[in-house]
Structures are given as structure tokens and as C-alpha cells.
Amino acid sequence: MDEGEQRRKLGESDVDIEDALLDEAVTTVIKGGERLNRKWPELIVTGLFGGVDVGLGILAMMLVKQATGSDILAGMAFGVGLLALKLAHSELFTEEFLLPLNAVIAGQGTWMQMVRLWAVTLVTNLLGGLAFMAVVVIGLPDYHQTLIDSAIAYLDQPSLAVMIALAVLAGATITLSTRMQQGSSDDVVTAITCMISGLLVIGFGMLHGALNAIIIFGAMLAGADISIGDFLQWFAIVIPCNMLGGLLIISLPRVARTLRVLRGIRSGAIPLEKAEEQGS
């Protein structure tokens, strides 16, 4: 029995790859293509609501942190926002790195569409979060100091190396969390994954450009001594490192293991419809 026959024994498809990997490749290509080809209104609204959903998680985080003083419990509470993103089909920057990347490699979208998706998602996340935090700051004055303390902790890092490492970890954690959720249709598993992700990101004080920026915006509206220049300098370092973590650590290795299928779909050697049928 040759190597190809041995691999085909691992699944029923006539593509020389395990069924699980074929299914992963096809699913990510289809979903990634859908995101890349969204019309402008859908793309903008999805990103705006992503910021609002994250704001809901920040609201839960503030409540628990002020009541308990525990970053760990506050992080688990923040998972509510990540769960809202999933259930409401919103989108958070760094959340969907793998899907559009696979779609572009498979010929279901262009590099410019991918840049548009990421850029619009980031900007609209920030705008939606800013609007939500403006309401929070007006309605909950007793929580201003908690918000300010959290923002200052994100901005005040002991060194550039620590800052870069925490941003890379945040990008990798959120991207991996999303990929884990896509691998299960069980709502309980999804909820647990969101709670654990919030626990890690908030509990360890990781730096995520979109998530932390919304907290920083709220702190600035609450009167924190944070300048636009301070924020932009922080933001310019964190965002590229988030992308590095999400792409280099999580997405690209997964692209590599299904690259043969992606190239086959692009060239037409593996028809997407047939691959979808075999993968399922």
C-alpha cells in the first residue's frame, strides 16, 4: 500500500487528504468568500455591531471588576461580549484572519477585498465601541474610575518588549478562540470557549487593539488624562503585533496544512462543489 492509499484510508473522499482537513479547507473557503464579497452596507453594519457587542463584554467586565477586584473573574465576565459576537454574527478585528486568507488563496476573493475587510472591520469596531462607551460613561458615573484604571494599565507597560509580546498573544488568542468556535456546533462549547478566551485576554492583561481601544475611549470620555497622541502611539504598536500573532502563529500554519486543497480549488483541479460534498 503506497502513501497516498494509506492517507485515503483516513477518509472517504477521493482527494488525497483526511476528511477533517478537507472539511476545514472547504468550510473556511466558503465562509471566507462570503465575508470578502459582502456589500459595503453589510460590511459596515457588521463591524459597528462588533464594537457594540464588545462594549457589552466591557460592561460586564466593569461590573465584576468593581464588585470583586478580580481580573480573573472580570475576564470571564468579558466573555459575554465574545459570545455576543458569535451569536449575533458580528465581526471583531483579528477574529476572522484564517477565513478570508484561505478564500483568497483558493481564488474566491482578492487581496484588496481582504484588506478592505480588515480595515473596515477595525474602523467600524472602534466607531461602534466609541458610541456604546459614550452611553456607558453618561449612564454609569460610579464606574468611571474602574474604566480609567483599566485603560491606564493597558497604556502603561513596563517595556516595549512586554508590550509587543502581550499584543502578539492577544492576536493569537482571539484568532484561535474563533477557530475553535467554528469547529463546534455545540452552543455550550462555544460559551465555554468565549469564557476561557475572556479569562486569558483580560486576566493576563493582554493588549488587543480593538478591545482595549474601546476601554481607552471610555476612559478618555470619563476624564482620564490620556491624550490622542498617547493613544495613537500605543495603537500603532499593538495593531501590527495583533496581526502578527493572529496570522503568523495561528493562521499561516493552518493554511500550510491545507494548501494543496486550496491551490486545487483555485486551479479548478478540485471543484469547490465536489470538495464541499466530499468534506461533509
Side-chain angles (χ1 to χ4, degrees), residues 106-220:
Q108 304 304 303
T110 67
W111 294 107
M112 285 304 299
Q113 285 178 307
M114 186 169 71
V115 171
R116 182 191 73 141
L117 172 65
W118 290 347
V120 173
T121 297
L122 177 58
V123 171
T124 51
N125 281 170
L126 297 178
L127 292 175
L130 175 61
F132 187 86
M133 293 310 295
V135 178
V136 170
V137 169
I138 293 172
L140 299 170
D142 292 343
Y143 289 83
H144 285 188
Q145 193 58 51
T146 299
L147 197 56
I148 291 170
D149 290 344
S150 297
I152 291 175
Y154 290 130
L155 292 168
D156 187 19
Q157 296 298 318
S159 69
L160 179 61
V162 170
M163 188 175 182
I164 290 172
L166 289 175
V168 169
L169 286 172
T173 300
I174 295 295
T175 303
L176 179 57
S177 169
T178 305
R179 189 70 200 106
M180 290 167 64
Q181 293 167 27
Q182 291 163 351
S184 174
S185 59
D186 190 321
D187 290 341
V188 174
V189 173
T190 297
I192 292 173
T193 302
C194 290
M195 298 303 118
I196 293 175
S197 300
L199 167 67
L200 295 175
V201 172
I202 301 299
F204 279 118
M206 295 181 190
L207 303 178
H208 187 281
L211 302 182
N212 298 162
I214 294 172
I215 296 174
I216 294 169
F217 289 162
M220 294 170 72

Side-chain angles (χ1 to χ4, degrees), residues 3-26 254-265 270 275 278-279:
E3 185 178 348
E5 291 176 343
Q6 181 63 42
R7 282 198 297 269
R8 278 191 289 271
K9 287 184 65 180
L10 298 174
E12 298 178 355
S13 73
D14 55 12
V15 179
D16 185 15
I17 192 171
E18 297 95 323
D19 281 354
L21 295 184
L22 177 62
D23 185 54
E24 174 185 324
V26 172
R254 283 164 172 76
V255 169
R257 71 179 182 177
T258 56
L259 185 59
R260 187 158 42 85
V261 177
L262 301 177
R263 286 177 172 171
I265 294 173
I270 304 175
Q278 292 180 347

Side-chain angles (χ1 to χ4, degrees), residues 26-38:
V26 172
T27 300
T28 56
V29 167
I30 292 173
K31 291 184 178 180
E34 291 171 352
R35 284 165 169 77
L36 290 174
N37 290 282
R38 280 177 180 152

